[in-house]
Amino acid sequence: MVALSLFALANALALALGAALFRAGAASIGTIYLIFHYSGLLVRPIAQLQAEIRDLQQAGASVDRVEELLHTAPRIRDPDGPPRPIPDGPLAVEVRRISFGYGAAPIIVDMSFSLPPDRTLGILGRAGSGKTTLARLLARQYDPDEDAIRLGGVNPREARLEDLRARVGLVTQEVQIFAGTVRDNLTFFNPAIDDARLLRAIDELGLRGWLDALPAGLDSALAAGGGLSGGEAQLLALVRVLLKDPGLVILDEASSRLDPATEALVGRAIDRLLAGRTGMIIAHRLATVGRADEIMILAGGRIVEYGPREALAGDPSSSFARLLRAGDDARPDGGHGHGPEEAPA
């Protein structure tokens, strides 16, 4: 701004000087115009230079922020000592008196439950009751305040993160799509996973029809953040999980916001994915937990009801039975649409 003000003053002086020279007969109109025009031409390169300097300053600040981010040590790390392997096969889940909150207010309070291996747990509750937070804790995206989670008898903090991510599969509502082919998005750009293995996983989930419907099959190009419908993205996420062959599968509203036909296809794929594995299904709709063996209802970060689905359904006094009597489309939060889950503060 200072430089531009000086150039504006210079233009005014050039105009005044030209007028004086013209009145004195020392310069023609053309000469005066050239003086004024040439002084104006100096403004553009100076303004461009100022813009370049400003961009360089912003780039330097961005580089500093990136370096700060790269040097930030993650809170979730591999154990300092020798890691414990997580056993193969379906994983038992044990939670003992855990509490957790993203800020001052706790989201989960003194929660305890046990899920045997090769069983499926359906989790119901109002938005903000702690359902998604529980899934994040089991996948060790966060650590609880108390060291009291066991997966297959192993504390997740004692296992390598790579092993834990391989043994716990998490499918959420929002599926991240990367710029690349369907193959790249299924394998996360891992060339060690060949097409034969991909096709076996797709066939195991009964999704060959979905793959054949894509324009170029595994070579179909996807744009970052898009290129697939919501249902297709969920199918892609299920294949991703199956490729890891986890012992625990957590589905966080994985079949919400889908049309009935796509939801049926996703439901069949989920049934096949859960076969021979421990499962946890987080849902708002009761129909979604129809495949669950156990039911857990949360409220205010606490368990208000837990037990076998058939036993709870047959108990007229249970909260689950009351929800069933309210109708198949009833939700624990009293609505019929999708409500937001809790988010970090």
Side-chain angles (χ1 to χ4, degrees):
M1 289 297 295
V2 175
L4 294 179
S5 299
L6 291 176
F7 275 108
L9 178 60
N11 286 336
L13 292 175
L15 185 60
L17 177 62
L21 292 174
F22 179 74
R23 284 195 300 268
S28 65
I29 292 292
T31 301
I32 295 170
Y33 171 77
L34 287 176
I35 294 174
F36 182 76
H37 179 67
Y38 287 152
S39 65
L41 289 178
L42 295 175
V43 175
R44 181 177 299 177
I46 296 299
Q48 290 177 340
L49 182 60
Q50 283 184 320
E52 294 294 337
I53 293 175
R54 184 173 59 251
D55 291 342
L56 286 174
Q57 290 174 337
Q58 292 176 346
S62 299
V63 169
D64 291 340
R65 294 295 300 274
V66 171
E67 289 183 350
E68 180 182 353
L69 177 63
L70 292 177
H71 287 88
T72 300
R75 296 180 181 178
I76 308 300
R77 297 180 297 179
D78 286 335
D80 295 330
R84 290 188 60 188
I86 299 179
D88 295 331
L91 296 176
V93 178
E94 297 180 18
V95 173
R96 291 289 178 267
R97 302 179 65 87
I98 65 169
S99 297
F100 179 79
Y102 299 106
I107 300 296
I108 290 180
V109 181
D110 198 25
M111 181 180 294
S112 299
F113 69 92
S114 178
L115 178 65
D118 201 16
R119 300 279 286 180
T120 298
L121 172 65
I123 304 177
L124 300 168
R126 295 176 179 272
S129 60
K131 303 185 301 298
T132 293
T133 296
L134 175 60
R136 292 169 178 167
L137 292 175
L138 292 175
R140 212 191 167 204
Q141 295 179 358
Y142 298 91
D143 279 332
D145 297 337
E146 298 296 333
D147 187 14
I149 293 179
R150 297 292 184 273
L151 300 178
V154 176
N155 183 343
R157 298 185 184 187
E158 298 176 353
R160 290 197 312 156
L161 289 174
E162 182 179 354
D163 296 339
L164 180 65
R165 301 290 186 260
R167 298 295 294 137
V168 178
L170 176 61
V171 181
T172 63
Q173 295 179 52
E174 303 298 331
V175 180
Q176 183 64 52
I177 304 297
F178 303 96
T181 64
V182 171
R183 179 188 295 103
D184 295 332
N185 276 273
L186 289 174
T187 63
F188 286 116
F189 301 88
N190 182 1
I193 301 178
D194 56 25
D195 287 358
R197 182 178 171 188
L198 276 177
L199 295 176
R200 283 196 302 270
I202 291 171
D203 288 338
E204 184 175 344
L205 293 180
L207 301 179
R208 181 56 72 97
W210 161 72
L211 179 65
D212 293 340
L214 297 178
L218 292 174
D219 294 315
S220 299
L222 301 178
L228 293 176
S229 67
E232 290 173 329
Q234 292 294 340
L235 296 174
L236 183 146
L238 295 177
V239 178
R240 285 174 174 173
V241 171
L242 183 61
L243 287 172
K244 299 193 302 182
D245 191 21
L248 172 64
V249 177
I250 304 174
L251 306 175
D252 187 0
E253 294 288 349
S255 61
S256 65
R257 302 180 182 178
L258 302 181
D259 60 86
T262 306
E263 185 174 3
L265 179 60
V266 171
R268 289 193 294 270
I270 288 175
D271 287 337
R272 299 188 183 193
L273 177 62
L274 293 177
R277 296 179 174 89
T278 306
M280 298 181 67
I281 302 174
I282 298 172
H284 283 297
R285 297 179 55 195
L286 293 176
T288 309
V289 297
R291 57 177 57 85
D293 303 304
E294 315 277 340
I295 294 293
M296 183 166 68
I297 299 179
L298 302 180
R302 300 176 184 272
I303 299 174
V304 297
E305 190 166 270
Y306 183 83
R309 178 173 58 86
E310 294 183 357
L312 293 178
D315 182 0
S317 63
S318 71
S319 299
F320 184 61
R322 289 195 295 270
L323 290 172
L324 291 176
R325 289 195 297 270
D328 290 337
D329 289 332
R331 283 183 6 197
D333 56 3
H336 297 275
H338 171 74
E341 183 53 270
E342 65 278 0

